[in-house]
Amino acid sequence: MEVLFHEMELLSRSLHQAHRAAVQTELNAAGLGEVGHPMLVSILQSAEEDPEGQCQAQRELADLLHVSPAAIANSLKCLERDGYIRREPWQKDARRNRVILTGKGAAAVEGCRNVFCRVSARMMAGFSPEELAQLAQFQRRMLDNLTGPQPPQKGVI
């Protein structure tokens, strides 16, 4: 069983690395290589839920992406410099900044989404709908196993 777990771990890592490389290659080909695409997709997704328009607080972005506020500040600085976003004080709390996609940023998000779709289609080619449903079920269970309550371990007090 341990050998199978080891093989699954290696496959998981290899799949993750191959997916990242395929996405980066597609982003580069689309002229979006310098865009922090996960950041932009998060901004877009949260903007759709924001009744005040296309904006998101920096602190909330850090939470969404599971990164430090300092990493978000760095990424936002680059995105702002390159014209993908603009920042402005939050009306309800001047200590917080709102992050707003520009037209260039919205176009980049759309381009990134197209890249993700192409890479996913390539990755899932040849799977039947039933196999894809089963794969999704297995992945949800693995995610639940990693993010849910931890079971007590043998020999650990």
Side-chain angles (χ1 to χ4, degrees):
M1 188 64 115
E2 187 174 324
V3 172
L4 184 58
F5 281 169
H6 181 68
E7 182 181 3
M8 292 297 295
E9 179 64 25
L10 290 175
L11 281 171
S12 178
R13 287 181 188 178
S14 295
L15 178 61
H16 177 73
Q17 289 171 343
H19 183 268
R20 287 180 60 117
V23 166
Q24 193 59 53
T25 298
E26 289 276 342
L27 287 170
N28 291 343
L32 297 168
E34 82 284 351
V35 174
H37 60 278
M39 175 78 64
L40 288 174
V41 170
S42 291
I43 291 168
L44 179 66
Q45 288 172 342
S46 61
E48 291 172 351
E49 298 167 7
D50 186 350
E52 297 180 15
Q54 293 188 327
C55 63
Q56 182 64 38
Q58 288 179 214
R59 188 177 308 145
E60 292 162 351
L61 287 171
D63 291 343
L64 280 171
L65 296 172
H66 305 290
V67 297
S68 72
I72 291 296
N74 259 356
S75 295
L76 291 176
K77 184 178 179 180
C78 293
L79 291 170
E80 188 173 32
R81 179 197 65 216
D82 294 338
Y84 294 104
I85 64 162
R86 71 178 198 278
R87 291 186 276 188
E88 62 185 42
W90 196 272
Q91 290 176 351
K92 297 177 184 174
D93 184 352
R95 297 170 297 172
R96 296 173 64 183
N97 282 327
R98 292 178 356 143
V99 178
I100 302 168
L101 278 176
T102 63
K104 181 179 179 180
V109 167
E110 186 60 31
C112 289
R113 282 187 165 179
N114 290 337
V115 163
F116 294 146
C117 287
R118 285 193 303 272
V119 170
S120 291
R122 211 170 104 208
M123 184 171 61
M124 301 300 176
F127 285 91
S128 71
E130 295 80 16
E131 289 171 326
L132 289 174
Q134 189 175 29
L135 179 60
Q137 182 181 18
F138 290 152
Q139 288 178 327
R140 277 192 295 277
R141 190 182 328 161
M142 286 187 280
L143 184 59
D144 289 345
N145 287 346
L146 292 174
T147 60
Q150 297 296 310
Q153 295 182 2
K154 292 180 182 177
V156 176
I157 299 176

